[in-house]
């Protein structure tokens, strides 16, 4: 198996981005979803994305926004990936596919495999995204999707290794699990998470 894919999401400051990149993150996420304590504007995200090497994927995170708004914010911020949380249908992915961005589909549903909506990566999240509350990934009812999928929801440096071992996830995504308070990242926790995830 190749090395675990790690995404650090909800970054808002230059130092946080630099720590995540230096610690070995494969992707960093900027939240454009209204109402999130991690939400930032396109101009701020563009400045942060400019600090990220091409080898690390920059991702804009959206929830319940129109295709036009997603496209505009992605263009203005310069992110190379788009992550959709919510009930966006396959037509969203088709509309955004033409722009050559990496598409991530986030869902709390049980999904057979990655690519059903035309996404490049699938993210299996907890029912209450961004809350830091884990869901029962150790449940007998949990069936790992096929293909490239990331486990998210309630992960932290203390449980990520067990979560990956239990689910066989291709990658992991974390936001609140590396925060010292809601919406504020901890450089130490970012480093600890990536180190623990790769074990």
């Amino acid at each position: 198996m190749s090395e675990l894919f790690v995404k650090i999401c909800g970054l808002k400051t230059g130092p946080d981005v630099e720590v995540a990149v230096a610690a070995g993150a494969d992707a960093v996420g900027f939240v454009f979803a209204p109402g999130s304590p991690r939400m930032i504007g396109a101009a701020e995200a563009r400045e942060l994305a400019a600090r990220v090497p091409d080898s690390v994927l920059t991702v804009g995170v959206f929830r319940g926004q129109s295709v036009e708004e997603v496209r505009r914010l992605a263009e203005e911020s310069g992110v190379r990936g788009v992550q959709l949380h919510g009930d966006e249908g396959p037509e969203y992915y088709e509309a955004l596919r033409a722009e050559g961005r990496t598409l991530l589909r986030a869902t709390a549903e049980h999904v057979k495999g990655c690519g059903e909506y035309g996404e490049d990566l699938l993210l299996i999240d907890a029912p209450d995204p961004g809350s830091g509350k884990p869901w029962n990934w150790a449940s007998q009812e949990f069936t790992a999707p096929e293909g490239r999928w990331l486990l998210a929801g309630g992960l932290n440096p203390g449980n990520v290794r067990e979560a990956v071992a239990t689910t066989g996830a291709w990658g992991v995504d974390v936001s609140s699990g590396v925060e010292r308070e809601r919406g504020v990242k901890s450089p130490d926790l970012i480093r600890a998470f990536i180190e623990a995830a790769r074990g």
Side-chain angles (χ1 to χ4, degrees), residues 105-107 109-124 143-150:
R105 175 186 170 207
T107 179
E109 307 290 315
H110 283 295
V111 176
K112 190 158 186 279
C114 176
E116 286 182 4
Y117 281 22
E119 72 274 12
D120 301 295
L121 299 174
L122 179 68
L123 191 146
I124 303 295
T143 310
E146 293 166 14
R148 303 200 303 171
W149 70 280
L150 281 68

mmCIF file with all atom_site columns, all heavy atoms in Angstrom, residues 105-107 109-124 143-150:
data_model
loop_
_atom_site.group_PDB
_atom_site.id
_atom_site.type_symbol
_atom_site.label_atom_id
_atom_site.label_alt_id
_atom_site.label_comp_id
_atom_site.label_asym_id
_atom_site.label_entity_id
_atom_site.label_seq_id
_atom_site.pdbx_PDB_ins_code
_atom_site.Cartn_x
_atom_site.Cartn_y
_atom_site.Cartn_z
_atom_site.occupancy
_atom_site.B_iso_or_equiv
_atom_site.pdbx_formal_charge
_atom_site.auth_seq_id
_atom_site.auth_comp_id
_atom_site.auth_asym_id
_atom_site.auth_atom_id
_atom_site.pdbx_PDB_model_num
ATOM 1   N N   . ARG A 1 105 ? -15.997 14.549 -3.212  1.00 0.00 ? 105 ARG A N   1
ATOM 2   C CA  . ARG A 1 105 ? -17.395 14.472 -2.782  1.00 0.00 ? 105 ARG A CA  1
ATOM 3   C C   . ARG A 1 105 ? -17.437 14.020 -1.335  1.00 0.00 ? 105 ARG A C   1
ATOM 4   O O   . ARG A 1 105 ? -16.916 12.967 -0.982  1.00 0.00 ? 105 ARG A O   1
ATOM 5   C CB  . ARG A 1 105 ? -18.149 13.469 -3.651  1.00 0.00 ? 105 ARG A CB  1
ATOM 6   C CG  . ARG A 1 105 ? -19.581 13.206 -3.214  1.00 0.00 ? 105 ARG A CG  1
ATOM 7   C CD  . ARG A 1 105 ? -20.184 12.094 -4.051  1.00 0.00 ? 105 ARG A CD  1
ATOM 8   N NE  . ARG A 1 105 ? -21.455 11.649 -3.509  1.00 0.00 ? 105 ARG A NE  1
ATOM 9   C CZ  . ARG A 1 105 ? -21.941 10.423 -3.675  1.00 0.00 ? 105 ARG A CZ  1
ATOM 10  N NH1 . ARG A 1 105 ? -21.275 9.528  -4.368  1.00 0.00 ? 105 ARG A NH1 1
ATOM 11  N NH2 . ARG A 1 105 ? -23.109 10.099 -3.152  1.00 0.00 ? 105 ARG A NH2 1
ATOM 12  N N   . ALA A 1 106 ? -18.038 14.843 -0.478  1.00 0.00 ? 106 ALA A N   1
ATOM 13  C CA  . ALA A 1 106 ? -18.146 14.513 0.944   1.00 0.00 ? 106 ALA A CA  1
ATOM 14  C C   . ALA A 1 106 ? -19.576 14.076 1.250   1.00 0.00 ? 106 ALA A C   1
ATOM 15  O O   . ALA A 1 106 ? -20.533 14.731 0.847   1.00 0.00 ? 106 ALA A O   1
ATOM 16  C CB  . ALA A 1 106 ? -17.778 15.721 1.796   1.00 0.00 ? 106 ALA A CB  1
ATOM 17  N N   . THR A 1 107 ? -19.703 12.957 1.939   1.00 0.00 ? 107 THR A N   1
ATOM 18  C CA  . THR A 1 107 ? -21.030 12.458 2.278   1.00 0.00 ? 107 THR A CA  1
ATOM 19  C C   . THR A 1 107 ? -20.975 11.696 3.596   1.00 0.00 ? 107 THR A C   1
ATOM 20  O O   . THR A 1 107 ? -19.922 11.170 3.970   1.00 0.00 ? 107 THR A O   1
ATOM 21  C CB  . THR A 1 107 ? -21.580 11.531 1.163   1.00 0.00 ? 107 THR A CB  1
ATOM 22  O OG1 . THR A 1 107 ? -22.876 11.040 1.551   1.00 0.00 ? 107 THR A OG1 1
ATOM 23  C CG2 . THR A 1 107 ? -20.660 10.346 0.908   1.00 0.00 ? 107 THR A CG2 1
ATOM 24  N N   . GLU A 1 109 ? -23.348 9.376  3.982   1.00 0.00 ? 109 GLU A N   1
ATOM 25  C CA  . GLU A 1 109 ? -24.092 8.179  3.600   1.00 0.00 ? 109 GLU A CA  1
ATOM 26  C C   . GLU A 1 109 ? -23.130 7.017  3.355   1.00 0.00 ? 109 GLU A C   1
ATOM 27  O O   . GLU A 1 109 ? -21.941 7.214  3.119   1.00 0.00 ? 109 GLU A O   1
ATOM 28  C CB  . GLU A 1 109 ? -24.862 8.434  2.286   1.00 0.00 ? 109 GLU A CB  1
ATOM 29  C CG  . GLU A 1 109 ? -25.748 9.658  2.302   1.00 0.00 ? 109 GLU A CG  1
ATOM 30  C CD  . GLU A 1 109 ? -26.947 9.498  3.208   1.00 0.00 ? 109 GLU A CD  1
ATOM 31  O OE1 . GLU A 1 109 ? -27.582 8.436  3.152   1.00 0.00 ? 109 GLU A OE1 1
ATOM 32  O OE2 . GLU A 1 109 ? -27.230 10.435 3.978   1.00 0.00 ? 109 GLU A OE2 1
ATOM 33  N N   . HIS A 1 110 ? -23.684 5.809  3.364   1.00 0.00 ? 110 HIS A N   1
ATOM 34  C CA  . HIS A 1 110 ? -22.888 4.652  2.945   1.00 0.00 ? 110 HIS A CA  1
ATOM 35  C C   . HIS A 1 110 ? -22.871 4.645  1.423   1.00 0.00 ? 110 HIS A C   1
ATOM 36  O O   . HIS A 1 110 ? -23.913 4.663  0.789   1.00 0.00 ? 110 HIS A O   1
ATOM 37  C CB  . HIS A 1 110 ? -23.479 3.357  3.491   1.00 0.00 ? 110 HIS A CB  1
ATOM 38  C CG  . HIS A 1 110 ? -23.176 3.156  4.943   1.00 0.00 ? 110 HIS A CG  1
ATOM 39  N ND1 . HIS A 1 110 ? -21.892 2.962  5.408   1.00 0.00 ? 110 HIS A ND1 1
ATOM 40  C CD2 . HIS A 1 110 ? -23.971 3.148  6.034   1.00 0.00 ? 110 HIS A CD2 1
ATOM 41  C CE1 . HIS A 1 110 ? -21.919 2.824  6.727   1.00 0.00 ? 110 HIS A CE1 1
ATOM 42  N NE2 . HIS A 1 110 ? -23.162 2.959  7.132   1.00 0.00 ? 110 HIS A NE2 1
ATOM 43  N N   . VAL A 1 111 ? -21.690 4.656  0.862   1.00 0.00 ? 111 VAL A N   1
ATOM 44  C CA  . VAL A 1 111 ? -21.532 4.740  -0.587  1.00 0.00 ? 111 VAL A CA  1
ATOM 45  C C   . VAL A 1 111 ? -20.728 3.534  -1.050  1.00 0.00 ? 111 VAL A C   1
ATOM 46  O O   . VAL A 1 111 ? -19.786 3.115  -0.382  1.00 0.00 ? 111 VAL A O   1
ATOM 47  C CB  . VAL A 1 111 ? -20.777 6.049  -0.963  1.00 0.00 ? 111 VAL A CB  1
ATOM 48  C CG1 . VAL A 1 111 ? -20.523 6.121  -2.455  1.00 0.00 ? 111 VAL A CG1 1
ATOM 49  C CG2 . VAL A 1 111 ? -21.582 7.259  -0.511  1.00 0.00 ? 111 VAL A CG2 1
ATOM 50  N N   . LYS A 1 112 ? -21.107 2.981  -2.204  1.00 0.00 ? 112 LYS A N   1
ATOM 51  C CA  . LYS A 1 112 ? -20.441 1.768  -2.698  1.00 0.00 ? 112 LYS A CA  1
ATOM 52  C C   . LYS A 1 112 ? -18.985 2.023  -3.062  1.00 0.00 ? 112 LYS A C   1
ATOM 53  O O   . LYS A 1 112 ? -18.101 1.223  -2.772  1.00 0.00 ? 112 LYS A O   1
ATOM 54  C CB  . LYS A 1 112 ? -21.204 1.247  -3.910  1.00 0.00 ? 112 LYS A CB  1
ATOM 55  C CG  . LYS A 1 112 ? -20.753 -0.137 -4.357  1.00 0.00 ? 112 LYS A CG  1
ATOM 56  C CD  . LYS A 1 112 ? -21.832 -0.818 -5.161  1.00 0.00 ? 112 LYS A CD  1
ATOM 57  C CE  . LYS A 1 112 ? -21.447 -2.257 -5.477  1.00 0.00 ? 112 LYS A CE  1
ATOM 58  N NZ  . LYS A 1 112 ? -20.550 -2.392 -6.612  1.00 0.00 ? 112 LYS A NZ  1
ATOM 59  N N   . GLY A 1 113 ? -18.747 3.171  -3.717  1.00 0.00 ? 113 GLY A N   1
ATOM 60  C CA  . GLY A 1 113 ? -17.371 3.436  -4.103  1.00 0.00 ? 113 GLY A CA  1
ATOM 61  C C   . GLY A 1 113 ? -17.174 4.837  -4.618  1.00 0.00 ? 113 GLY A C   1
ATOM 62  O O   . GLY A 1 113 ? -18.131 5.573  -4.868  1.00 0.00 ? 113 GLY A O   1
ATOM 63  N N   . CYS A 1 114 ? -15.924 5.212  -4.774  1.00 0.00 ? 114 CYS A N   1
ATOM 64  C CA  . CYS A 1 114 ? -15.566 6.532  -5.283  1.00 0.00 ? 114 CYS A CA  1
ATOM 65  C C   . CYS A 1 114 ? -15.855 6.607  -6.775  1.00 0.00 ? 114 CYS A C   1
ATOM 66  O O   . CYS A 1 114 ? -15.584 5.670  -7.506  1.00 0.00 ? 114 CYS A O   1
ATOM 67  C CB  . CYS A 1 114 ? -14.072 6.767  -5.015  1.00 0.00 ? 114 CYS A CB  1
ATOM 68  S SG  . CYS A 1 114 ? -13.469 8.312  -5.694  1.00 0.00 ? 114 CYS A SG  1
ATOM 69  N N   . GLY A 1 115 ? -16.416 7.744  -7.212  1.00 0.00 ? 115 GLY A N   1
ATOM 70  C CA  . GLY A 1 115 ? -16.620 7.976  -8.634  1.00 0.00 ? 115 GLY A CA  1
ATOM 71  C C   . GLY A 1 115 ? -18.054 7.912  -9.103  1.00 0.00 ? 115 GLY A C   1
ATOM 72  O O   . GLY A 1 115 ? -18.344 8.191  -10.262 1.00 0.00 ? 115 GLY A O   1
ATOM 73  N N   . GLU A 1 116 ? -18.978 7.601  -8.217  1.00 0.00 ? 116 GLU A N   1
ATOM 74  C CA  . GLU A 1 116 ? -20.385 7.473  -8.621  1.00 0.00 ? 116 GLU A CA  1
ATOM 75  C C   . GLU A 1 116 ? -20.945 8.774  -9.194  1.00 0.00 ? 116 GLU A C   1
ATOM 76  O O   . GLU A 1 116 ? -21.806 8.756  -10.062 1.00 0.00 ? 116 GLU A O   1
ATOM 77  C CB  . GLU A 1 116 ? -21.252 7.034  -7.428  1.00 0.00 ? 116 GLU A CB  1
ATOM 78  C CG  . GLU A 1 116 ? -21.072 5.579  -7.047  1.00 0.00 ? 116 GLU A CG  1
ATOM 79  C CD  . GLU A 1 116 ? -21.964 5.146  -5.890  1.00 0.00 ? 116 GLU A CD  1
ATOM 80  O OE1 . GLU A 1 116 ? -22.797 5.967  -5.421  1.00 0.00 ? 116 GLU A OE1 1
ATOM 81  O OE2 . GLU A 1 116 ? -21.831 3.997  -5.441  1.00 0.00 ? 116 GLU A OE2 1
ATOM 82  N N   . TYR A 1 117 ? -20.458 9.906  -8.678  1.00 0.00 ? 117 TYR A N   1
ATOM 83  C CA  . TYR A 1 117 ? -20.933 11.207 -9.173  1.00 0.00 ? 117 TYR A CA  1
ATOM 84  C C   . TYR A 1 117 ? -19.907 11.857 -10.097 1.00 0.00 ? 117 TYR A C   1
ATOM 85  O O   . TYR A 1 117 ? -20.057 13.009 -10.482 1.00 0.00 ? 117 TYR A O   1
ATOM 86  C CB  . TYR A 1 117 ? -21.204 12.158 -7.997  1.00 0.00 ? 117 TYR A CB  1
ATOM 87  C CG  . TYR A 1 117 ? -22.520 11.913 -7.285  1.00 0.00 ? 117 TYR A CG  1
ATOM 88  C CD1 . TYR A 1 117 ? -23.176 10.693 -7.362  1.00 0.00 ? 117 TYR A CD1 1
ATOM 89  C CD2 . TYR A 1 117 ? -23.107 12.927 -6.538  1.00 0.00 ? 117 TYR A CD2 1
ATOM 90  C CE1 . TYR A 1 117 ? -24.368 10.478 -6.700  1.00 0.00 ? 117 TYR A CE1 1
ATOM 91  C CE2 . TYR A 1 117 ? -24.308 12.723 -5.870  1.00 0.00 ? 117 TYR A CE2 1
ATOM 92  C CZ  . TYR A 1 117 ? -24.929 11.489 -5.951  1.00 0.00 ? 117 TYR A CZ  1
ATOM 93  O OH  . TYR A 1 117 ? -26.112 11.293 -5.300  1.00 0.00 ? 117 TYR A OH  1
ATOM 94  N N   . GLY A 1 118 ? -18.843 11.124 -10.387 1.00 0.00 ? 118 GLY A N   1
ATOM 95  C CA  . GLY A 1 118 ? -17.787 11.697 -11.222 1.00 0.00 ? 118 GLY A CA  1
ATOM 96  C C   . GLY A 1 118 ? -16.698 12.350 -10.397 1.00 0.00 ? 118 GLY A C   1
ATOM 97  O O   . GLY A 1 118 ? -15.840 13.054 -10.918 1.00 0.00 ? 118 GLY A O   1
ATOM 98  N N   . GLU A 1 119 ? -16.683 12.098 -9.070  1.00 0.00 ? 119 GLU A N   1
ATOM 99  C CA  . GLU A 1 119 ? -15.655 12.681 -8.196  1.00 0.00 ? 119 GLU A CA  1
ATOM 100 C C   . GLU A 1 119 ? -14.348 11.898 -8.323  1.00 0.00 ? 119 GLU A C   1
ATOM 101 O O   . GLU A 1 119 ? -14.345 10.720 -8.669  1.00 0.00 ? 119 GLU A O   1
ATOM 102 C CB  . GLU A 1 119 ? -16.133 12.712 -6.745  1.00 0.00 ? 119 GLU A CB  1
ATOM 103 C CG  . GLU A 1 119 ? -16.186 11.362 -6.042  1.00 0.00 ? 119 GLU A CG  1
ATOM 104 C CD  . GLU A 1 119 ? -17.478 10.580 -6.244  1.00 0.00 ? 119 GLU A CD  1
ATOM 105 O OE1 . GLU A 1 119 ? -18.289 10.959 -7.118  1.00 0.00 ? 119 GLU A OE1 1
ATOM 106 O OE2 . GLU A 1 119 ? -17.674 9.577  -5.529  1.00 0.00 ? 119 GLU A OE2 1
ATOM 107 N N   . ASP A 1 120 ? -13.241 12.580 -8.019  1.00 0.00 ? 120 ASP A N   1
ATOM 108 C CA  . ASP A 1 120 ? -11.918 11.946 -8.022  1.00 0.00 ? 120 ASP A CA  1
ATOM 109 C C   . ASP A 1 120 ? -11.606 11.302 -6.681  1.00 0.00 ? 120 ASP A C   1
ATOM 110 O O   . ASP A 1 120 ? -10.895 10.300 -6.611  1.00 0.00 ? 120 ASP A O   1
ATOM 111 C CB  . ASP A 1 120 ? -10.829 12.995 -8.318  1.00 0.00 ? 120 ASP A CB  1
ATOM 112 C CG  . ASP A 1 120 ? -11.054 13.663 -9.665  1.00 0.00 ? 120 ASP A CG  1
ATOM 113 O OD1 . ASP A 1 120 ? -10.967 12.972 -10.683 1.00 0.00 ? 120 ASP A OD1 1
ATOM 114 O OD2 . ASP A 1 120 ? -11.349 14.881 -9.677  1.00 0.00 ? 120 ASP A OD2 1
ATOM 115 N N   . LEU A 1 121 ? -12.084 11.934 -5.606  1.00 0.00 ? 121 LEU A N   1
ATOM 116 C CA  . LEU A 1 121 ? -11.866 11.424 -4.253  1.00 0.00 ? 121 LEU A CA  1
ATOM 117 C C   . LEU A 1 121 ? -13.195 11.465 -3.505  1.00 0.00 ? 121 LEU A C   1
ATOM 118 O O   . LEU A 1 121 ? -13.984 12.399 -3.688  1.00 0.00 ? 121 LEU A O   1
ATOM 119 C CB  . LEU A 1 121 ? -10.846 12.281 -3.488  1.00 0.00 ? 121 LEU A CB  1
ATOM 120 C CG  . LEU A 1 121 ? -9.423  12.381 -4.047  1.00 0.00 ? 121 LEU A CG  1
ATOM 121 C CD1 . LEU A 1 121 ? -8.616  13.397 -3.239  1.00 0.00 ? 121 LEU A CD1 1
ATOM 122 C CD2 . LEU A 1 121 ? -8.741  11.024 -4.013  1.00 0.00 ? 121 LEU A CD2 1
ATOM 123 N N   . LEU A 1 122 ? -13.412 10.461 -2.678  1.00 0.00 ? 122 LEU A N   1
ATOM 124 C CA  . LEU A 1 122 ? -14.628 10.397 -1.872  1.00 0.00 ? 122 LEU A CA  1
ATOM 125 C C   . LEU A 1 122 ? -14.241 10.624 -0.418  1.00 0.00 ? 122 LEU A C   1
ATOM 126 O O   . LEU A 1 122 ? -13.219 10.104 0.038   1.00 0.00 ? 122 LEU A O   1
ATOM 127 C CB  . LEU A 1 122 ? -15.255 9.007  -2.037  1.00 0.00 ? 122 LEU A CB  1
ATOM 128 C CG  . LEU A 1 122 ? -16.529 8.716  -1.258  1.00 0.00 ? 122 LEU A CG  1
ATOM 129 C CD1 . LEU A 1 122 ? -17.692 9.551  -1.786  1.00 0.00 ? 122 LEU A CD1 1
ATOM 130 C CD2 . LEU A 1 122 ? -16.867 7.222  -1.368  1.00 0.00 ? 122 LEU A CD2 1
ATOM 131 N N   . LEU A 1 123 ? -15.033 11.417 0.293   1.00 0.00 ? 123 LEU A N   1
ATOM 132 C CA  . LEU A 1 123 ? -14.751 11.693 1.696   1.00 0.00 ? 123 LEU A CA  1
ATOM 133 C C   . LEU A 1 123 ? -15.951 11.227 2.510   1.00 0.00 ? 123 LEU A C   1
ATOM 134 O O   . LEU A 1 123 ? -17.066 11.694 2.290   1.00 0.00 ? 123 LEU A O   1
ATOM 135 C CB  . LEU A 1 123 ? -14.497 13.193 1.875   1.00 0.00 ? 123 LEU A CB  1
ATOM 136 C CG  . LEU A 1 123 ? -13.936 13.646 3.221   1.00 0.00 ? 123 LEU A CG  1
ATOM 137 C CD1 . LEU A 1 123 ? -12.994 14.824 3.014   1.00 0.00 ? 123 LEU A CD1 1
ATOM 138 C CD2 . LEU A 1 123 ? -15.057 14.055 4.159   1.00 0.00 ? 123 LEU A CD2 1
ATOM 139 N N   . ILE A 1 124 ? -15.727 10.260 3.384   1.00 0.00 ? 124 ILE A N   1
ATOM 140 C CA  . ILE A 1 124 ? -16.817 9.761  4.228   1.00 0.00 ? 124 ILE A CA  1
ATOM 141 C C   . ILE A 1 124 ? -16.751 10.500 5.566   1.00 0.00 ? 124 ILE A C   1
ATOM 142 O O   . ILE A 1 124 ? -15.803 10.348 6.331   1.00 0.00 ? 124 ILE A O   1
ATOM 143 C CB  . ILE A 1 124 ? -16.705 8.239  4.451   1.00 0.00 ? 124 ILE A CB  1
ATOM 144 C CG1 . ILE A 1 124 ? -16.696 7.494  3.105   1.00 0.00 ? 124 ILE A CG1 1
ATOM 145 C CG2 . ILE A 1 124 ? -17.837 7.745  5.347   1.00 0.00 ? 124 ILE A CG2 1
ATOM 146 C CD1 . ILE A 1 124 ? -17.982 7.611  2.296   1.00 0.00 ? 124 ILE A CD1 1
ATOM 147 N N   . THR A 1 143 ? -19.194 -0.464 5.945   1.00 0.00 ? 143 THR A N   1
ATOM 148 C CA  . THR A 1 143 ? -18.526 -1.132 4.839   1.00 0.00 ? 143 THR A CA  1
ATOM 149 C C   . THR A 1 143 ? -17.667 -0.109 4.124   1.00 0.00 ? 143 THR A C   1
ATOM 150 O O   . THR A 1 143 ? -18.163 0.937  3.684   1.00 0.00 ? 143 THR A O   1
ATOM 151 C CB  . THR A 1 143 ? -19.565 -1.688 3.836   1.00 0.00 ? 143 THR A CB  1
ATOM 152 O OG1 . THR A 1 143 ? -20.538 -2.437 4.560   1.00 0.00 ? 143 THR A OG1 1
ATOM 153 C CG2 . THR A 1 143 ? -18.906 -2.580 2.808   1.00 0.00 ? 143 THR A CG2 1
ATOM 154 N N   . ALA A 1 144 ? -16.397 -0.384 4.004   1.00 0.00 ? 144 ALA A N   1
ATOM 155 C CA  . ALA A 1 144 ? -15.493 0.565  3.344   1.00 0.00 ? 144 ALA A CA  1
ATOM 156 C C   . ALA A 1 144 ? -15.849 0.688  1.872   1.00 0.00 ? 144 ALA A C   1
ATOM 157 O O   . ALA A 1 144 ? -16.076 -0.323 1.200   1.00 0.00 ? 144 ALA A O   1
ATOM 158 C CB  . ALA A 1 144 ? -14.052 0.093  3.490   1.00 0.00 ? 144 ALA A CB  1
ATOM 159 N N   . PRO A 1 145 ? -15.915 1.906  1.348   1.00 0.00 ? 145 PRO A N   1
ATOM 160 C CA  . PRO A 1 145 ? -16.169 2.080  -0.082  1.00 0.00 ? 145 PRO A CA  1
ATOM 161 C C   . PRO A 1 145 ? -14.972 1.584  -0.902  1.00 0.00 ? 145 PRO A C   1
ATOM 162 O O   . PRO A 1 145 ? -13.879 1.426  -0.369  1.00 0.00 ? 145 PRO A O   1
ATOM 163 C CB  . PRO A 1 145 ? -16.324 3.605  -0.244  1.00 0.00 ? 145 PRO A CB  1
ATOM 164 C CG  . PRO A 1 145 ? -16.378 4.162  1.130   1.00 0.00 ? 145 PRO A CG  1
ATOM 165 C CD  . PRO A 1 145 ? -15.730 3.186  2.037   1.00 0.00 ? 145 PRO A CD  1
ATOM 166 N N   . GLU A 1 146 ? -15.204 1.379  -2.169  1.00 0.00 ? 146 GLU A N   1
ATOM 167 C CA  . GLU A 1 146 ? -14.109 0.990  -3.055  1.00 0.00 ? 146 GLU A CA  1
ATOM 168 C C   . GLU A 1 146 ? -13.410 2.247  -3.561  1.00 0.00 ? 146 GLU A C   1
ATOM 169 O O   . GLU A 1 146 ? -14.011 3.316  -3.645  1.00 0.00 ? 146 GLU A O   1
ATOM 170 C CB  . GLU A 1 146 ? -14.657 0.189  -4.243  1.00 0.00 ? 146 GLU A CB  1
ATOM 171 C CG  . GLU A 1 146 ? -15.229 -1.156 -3.836  1.00 0.00 ? 146 GLU A CG  1
ATOM 172 C CD  . GLU A 1 146 ? -16.055 -1.791 -4.939  1.00 0.00 ? 146 GLU A CD  1
ATOM 173 O OE1 . GLU A 1 146 ? -15.973 -1.328 -6.093  1.00 0.00 ? 146 GLU A OE1 1
ATOM 174 O OE2 . GLU A 1 146 ? -16.791 -2.745 -4.632  1.00 0.00 ? 146 GLU A OE2 1
ATOM 175 N N   . GLY A 1 147 ? -12.140 2.097  -3.910  1.00 0.00 ? 147 GLY A N   1
ATOM 176 C CA  . GLY A 1 147 ? -11.411 3.205  -4.527  1.00 0.00 ? 147 GLY A CA  1
ATOM 177 C C   . GLY A 1 147 ? -10.768 4.151  -3.531  1.00 0.00 ? 147 GLY A C   1
ATOM 178 O O   . GLY A 1 147 ? -10.521 3.806  -2.374  1.00 0.00 ? 147 GLY A O   1
ATOM 179 N N   . ARG A 1 148 ? -10.523 5.368  -4.011  1.00 0.00 ? 148 ARG A N   1
ATOM 180 C CA  . ARG A 1 148 ? -9.791  6.355  -3.212  1.00 0.00 ? 148 ARG A CA  1
ATOM 181 C C   . ARG A 1 148 ? -10.769 7.121  -2.312  1.00 0.00 ? 148 ARG A C   1
ATOM 182 O O   . ARG A 1 148 ? -11.522 7.965  -2.776  1.00 0.00 ? 148 ARG A O   1
ATOM 183 C CB  . ARG A 1 148 ? -9.052  7.326  -4.145  1.00 0.00 ? 148 ARG A CB  1
ATOM 184 C CG  . ARG A 1 148 ? -8.097  6.585  -5.084  1.00 0.00 ? 148 ARG A CG  1
ATOM 185 C CD  . ARG A 1 148 ? -7.032  7.471  -5.669  1.00 0.00 ? 148 ARG A CD  1
ATOM 186 N NE  . ARG A 1 148 ? -7.536  8.613  -6.387  1.00 0.00 ? 148 ARG A NE  1
ATOM 187 C CZ  . ARG A 1 148 ? -6.769  9.606  -6.832  1.00 0.00 ? 148 ARG A CZ  1
ATOM 188 N NH1 . ARG A 1 148 ? -5.473  9.593  -6.622  1.00 0.00 ? 148 ARG A NH1 1
ATOM 189 N NH2 . ARG A 1 148 ? -7.291  10.615 -7.483  1.00 0.00 ? 148 ARG A NH2 1
ATOM 190 N N   . TRP A 1 149 ? -10.741 6.789  -1.027  1.00 0.00 ? 149 TRP A N   1
ATOM 191 C CA  . TRP A 1 149 ? -11.660 7.465  -0.108  1.00 0.00 ? 149 TRP A CA  1
ATOM 192 C C   . TRP A 1 149 ? -10.946 7.881  1.165   1.00 0.00 ? 149 TRP A C   1
ATOM 193 O O   . TRP A 1 149 ? -10.023 7.231  1.619   1.00 0.00 ? 149 TRP A O   1
ATOM 194 C CB  . TRP A 1 149 ? -12.872 6.585  0.197   1.00 0.00 ? 149 TRP A CB  1
ATOM 195 C CG  . TRP A 1 149 ? -12.576 5.385  1.043   1.00 0.00 ? 149 TRP A CG  1
ATOM 196 C CD1 . TRP A 1 149 ? -12.030 4.195  0.634   1.00 0.00 ? 149 TRP A CD1 1
ATOM 197 C CD2 . TRP A 1 149 ? -12.815 5.237  2.447   1.00 0.00 ? 149 TRP A CD2 1
ATOM 198 N NE1 . TRP A 1 149 ? -11.913 3.331  1.702   1.00 0.00 ? 149 TRP A NE1 1
ATOM 199 C CE2 . TRP A 1 149 ? -12.392 3.939  2.822   1.00 0.00 ? 149 TRP A CE2 1
ATOM 200 C CE3 . TRP A 1 149 ? -13.353 6.087  3.429   1.00 0.00 ? 149 TRP A CE3 1
ATOM 201 C CZ2 . TRP A 1 149 ? -12.472 3.468  4.132   1.00 0.00 ? 149 TRP A CZ2 1
ATOM 202 C CZ3 . TRP A 1 149 ? -13.433 5.614  4.738   1.00 0.00 ? 149 TRP A CZ3 1
ATOM 203 C CH2 . TRP A 1 149 ? -13.005 4.328  5.073   1.00 0.00 ? 149 TRP A CH2 1
ATOM 204 N N   . LEU A 1 150 ? -11.407 9.010  1.704   1.00 0.00 ? 150 LEU A N   1
ATOM 205 C CA  . LEU A 1 150 ? -10.831 9.586  2.914   1.00 0.00 ? 150 LEU A CA  1
ATOM 206 C C   . LEU A 1 150 ? -11.831 9.457  4.057   1.00 0.00 ? 150 LEU A C   1
ATOM 207 O O   . LEU A 1 150 ? -13.022 9.723  3.888   1.00 0.00 ? 150 LEU A O   1
ATOM 208 C CB  . LEU A 1 150 ? -10.515 11.073 2.718   1.00 0.00 ? 150 LEU A CB  1
ATOM 209 C CG  . LEU A 1 150 ? -9.244  11.452 1.957   1.00 0.00 ? 150 LEU A CG  1
ATOM 210 C CD1 . LEU A 1 150 ? -9.353  11.064 0.487   1.00 0.00 ? 150 LEU A CD1 1
ATOM 211 C CD2 . LEU A 1 150 ? -9.009  12.953 2.054   1.00 0.00 ? 150 LEU A CD2 1
#
